[in-house]
Amino acid sequence: MNGNANNDEVEVLAEEEILSSESTTTESENIPSKKTSKVAIVIALLSLILTILVILAAIYFYKQNTQLVANQQATIAQLSNEFNSQKSSFSAQSQKTLSLQSEVEQTNLQLQDLNNTSKISQTDIQSLQRALAANKARHPNDWILSEVEYLVNLAGRKIWLEKDVPSAISLLHAADQRIIELNDASLSDLRRAFLEDINTLGALPNRDPDGMVLTLSELERRIDKLAIIGAELSDKNPESTGQLSDDVKDWKQNLESSWSDFMGSFIVINKRDSKIEALLSPEQRWYLKENVRHNLGKAELAVYREQQTVYDQALQEVINMLDNYYNLNDSATDYFYKSVKELSKRKISVKYPDQLKSEPILERIIDLRIKTSLATPSVKQG
């Protein structure tokens, strides 16, 4: 029995040794696996942290970009409002300047008319006084001199009020003929003055205000047909034939042609050798045309008023706008430009004489005749 007990103890010890060796082996195998799982966890955490940082950075830059776009839009809106306000103020100032200029011109015209009317009225009063004195004297030749005086005064009215030089010359010719009928050698100075006045008036430039106004009106009607720079751009692009070869060997060329046609419908690139001016908006083009039309109308009014300075300034403004904003290579625009240049060289104001040289001589002769006629009865009575 002791022998069996010893065997059992030996077997138990052997089994314990085997179990201890297996447990040692299992522990040694579990140590590397635990280390690997820790490294994987650290890498996952780092990846998660990096992902979170990238997302936060993207959100930050998106907010910054949104804020920047909003600021730019606000700045653009502010600049647009400032531009519109400045534009409105400039238009108002231009209207005020034009109205003031028009008022000054009207005042000058009224003063000129009053001056001419006063001069003519004074002349008429003197003529009536002399006519009354001449009627009392009843000298036969003095009636003819009174008629000559009337013709001279009427000629002056034609010159200063109606600007009708040909009629004034005809009236002076008629007055000269009446002097010839008198056959008085003492009136040679008066005839010489008549001839000098006729030559002076005949040397004045011929005015054709109606013809100039008709020409300016015709130019106004052609404004809408003028070509503005940049309003039309020629789109001459090399067009693809769109034909594909039936030969299988040309598959590469057919593919390139099909791709070019496909891309051409999305993107068009035009190559231009000449400089392209900035396009004007429809509103700006309308203002440009109306400005040209306004200056031509101002030139028409200046023709009737004989305001050379206003006429020259208005046509020069038209020429400047044609130079800067219109395409002078266009035939119609070039003809319009040359017509305006030709009109700008015209002289619409005429320097009329302040007084006819025959007037003071005729007044002196009539005064002398009246005094002589009035003095003759008193001498006979004495």
Side-chain angles (χ1 to χ4, degrees), residues 172-240:
L172 291 177
H173 275 298
D176 184 55
Q177 290 297 320
R178 299 296 288 163
I179 295 297
I180 293 175
E181 293 176 3
L182 289 176
N183 195 18
D184 189 349
S186 63
L187 300 177
S188 59
D189 290 340
L190 180 59
R191 286 206 62 203
R192 189 178 297 109
F194 278 141
L195 294 176
E196 188 173 353
D197 288 336
I198 291 171
N199 292 330
T200 301
L201 294 177
L204 294 176
N206 294 327
R207 293 183 66 249
D208 185 17
D210 294 333
M212 294 183 68
V213 169
L214 288 174
T215 303
L216 289 169
S217 299
E218 179 61 25
L219 290 176
E220 282 189 55
R221 286 191 287 271
R222 301 210 312 261
I223 290 175
D224 293 331
K225 299 180 180 179
L226 302 180
I228 299 176
I229 294 176
E232 295 180 358
L233 295 175
S234 59
D235 295 330
K236 296 181 179 180
N237 296 320
E239 297 181 355
S240 176

Side-chain angles (χ1 to χ4, degrees), residues 116 119-131 145-162 164 167-168 171-172 175 194 197 355-356 358-360 362-363 366:
N116 293 332
K119 184 188 294 185
I120 293 172
S121 299
Q122 185 178 2
T123 304
D124 291 341
I125 291 172
Q126 293 175 355
S127 299
L128 290 174
Q129 291 174 349
R130 284 194 295 268
L145 289 178
S146 297
E147 183 181 353
V148 170
E149 184 182 24
Y150 170 75
L151 292 173
V152 172
N153 291 335
L154 188 58
R157 186 187 299 271
K158 290 289 183 180
I159 294 171
W160 295 309
L161 289 183
E162 301 180 15
D164 189 358
S167 298
L171 291 170
L172 291 177
F194 278 141
D197 288 336
Q355 186 182 28
L356 295 175
S358 57
E359 274 189 305
L362 181 59
E363 289 178 3
I366 292 175

